[in-house]
Amino acid sequence: MTLPHGFVVTLDRHTRVLDDGRAILGGNPTRLLRLSARARPLLSGRTVRVRDAASAVLADRLLETGLANPVVEALPAHPASGNGGDPDPDCTYVIPVRDRPRELARLLASIPAGSPVIVVDDASRRLDLVAAVAAEHGARLVPLTVNLGPAGARNAGLRLVTTPYVAFVDSDIVLSPDTVPTLLRHFADPRVAMAVPRITGLVTSESSRWLGRYESTRSSLDLGAHPAAVRPGTPVSWAPSACAVARVDVLTDGGGFDERMRVGEDVDLCWRLDRKGWRIRYEPFVEAAHEHRVGLGDWFQRKAVYGTGAHPLAERHPESIAPAVFAPWSTALVLTLLAQRRWSLPVAGSVWAVATARIAGKLKNTEHPVRHAARLSADGAVSALAQGSALLTRHWWPLTAIGCLASRRVRRATALAAITDIALEYRGGTNRLDPIRYGIARRLDDLAYGAGVWISALRGRSTAALRPRIVMTRKGAQRQPTTTALPSMGDTSLTGQQPSTSVAGQQPARRAKPRRVRR
């Protein structure tokens, strides 16, 4: 499967072009890609346009390694994408719902008239109300007599889809006219199995409450403003199924969603697709508005429920679940600083210097290797400290609370972690909350989610979802290019540092959490 002519990719914002285009540095994990003399002209500035077999191979390798992302607005419209408000002839909308007729009517009104729509009623108490809304909008109603949960309801709809593509949309979502048509453009890449938009907050009469304003800034479902591949071990390690477009044949061949999971079923699906070699694209160029919960009790319970998905995911994906992921050197750095001794800062500085020197050695054939190595090791140190702080205030907070009773050092470390976390995350220009209420919401978020993780671990009698993972620097080559336009390339992690891929973990920009669909 090759990328078609006209497909365009651009280098990720964190990717750097070195040595006048002879090398590219970036990706997840960080790697150095050297371009041969034949490959260099294929990179025009920071863009590669597929024109022949060689450019197709280069663009595919950049996508595979996380060095680049598709330029979705430059891709041709997919034949199934319709035109603005026109229906999508090859895409069926599947909507799971339970006792939410008002929200369902709002969603159906945002779907282009004439589109194939299947509403799966998951054993509503007032089926007649849901049926009336579905009939009013010309949607097909599939009533379930037993409540199966979001995974089972989606699968029930998926089995009835006859179009090549399916759009799963939760009933508390409102779509923009261009959301699904834009996502369908990503399927020009034959290896893309699923594409998801950015989930933003729906403006309602209740969204101006303080928790609504917190969610509009840091929703569990909002994965950020930058496009990315969805893959364990990257900053966007999962994608919510609140709104997602997928290939029907890929999902049916893989069994769809795991109906045994009522939490984290979307995370499980993403990781299974990735393991089979399929790609998932996160596309923030388009958005879907989600009605967040804003009542304190309801909101707190939802956060805790998210955490309970940790152990089921650990059972299914032990290689991908961890509350934090460290390299050996960053582990030593964090432990040294936590010791809070007179020698802590000098030793931590020495650890960082040794890590920088080792990375510089791997970059010795590039210009300014020390400069690039210092930047990479500094990023790794910040990531490690952020993950260590999250362990104290989020994932391990019951242990931290006990430690605070007995140790002044633990109290100092916890206070510093909590304050630093808020200072790094709070953005006065984009945050609709003052720092005090934002900080309170953050700590409540951590308490609820961490409690859910511990409940999950106790139920499963396993600490797998609570144990950090230490990864060694990976060496060796991945699949080699199929054209001589590209060099044989060693694919080596330069830092040995990866962001946490765990749904119970802390990511550099966003927390990835399993979710329960409120339908």
Side-chain angles (χ1 to χ4, degrees), residues 261-280:
M261 301 183 70
R262 297 234 173 184
V263 181
E265 77 286 345
D266 38 15
V267 185
D268 170 71
L269 177 63
C270 289
W271 291 355
R272 283 190 285 119
L273 290 174
D274 177 75
R275 192 160 55 214
K276 292 180 179 180
W278 290 102
R279 289 177 180 153
I280 303 170

Side-chain angles (χ1 to χ4, degrees), residues 1-4 6-13 15 24 26-29 31 33 35 43 46-50 54-72 75 185-194 227-236 247 274 277-283 478-479 486 489 491:
M1 297 186 290
T2 59
L3 296 174
F7 198 96
V8 182
V9 304
T10 186
L11 297 182
D12 186 81
R13 71 191 192 282
T15 300
I24 303 173
N28 291 289
R31 70 200 75 204
L33 173 66
L35 299 180
L43 181 64
R46 296 180 62 84
T47 300
V48 175
R49 181 180 293 272
V50 176
S55 55
V57 170
L58 177 58
D60 185 79
R61 177 56 64 88
L62 294 175
L63 291 175
E64 185 67 16
T65 54
L67 289 161
N69 301 298
V71 183
V72 66
L75 300 179
R185 290 174 178 247
H186 277 288
F187 294 95
D189 180 351
R191 290 184 57 193
V192 167
M194 190 163 69
V230 180
R231 176 177 294 173
T234 69
V236 181
R247 296 184 191 269
D274 177 75
W278 290 102
R279 289 177 180 153
I280 303 170
R281 294 302 315 179
Y282 171 61
E283 184 49 72
Q478 282 188 329
R479 295 184 297 272
L486 297 175
M489 175 183 58
D491 185 12

Side-chain angles (χ1 to χ4, degrees), residues 174-228:
V174 175
L175 294 173
S176 299
D178 58 343
T179 298
V180 171
T182 301
L183 294 178
L184 284 166
R185 290 174 178 247
H186 277 288
F187 294 95
D189 180 351
R191 290 184 57 193
V192 167
M194 190 163 69
V196 298
R198 184 177 187 181
I199 305 298
T200 56
L202 180 67
V203 178
T204 67
S205 59
E206 296 184 336
S207 62
S208 60
R209 296 165 65 176
W210 72 287
L211 282 177
R213 284 179 280 165
Y214 172 79
E215 284 292 292
S216 70
T217 302
R218 208 177 191 282
S219 166
S220 304
L221 307 182
D222 187 350
L223 302 178
H226 303 287

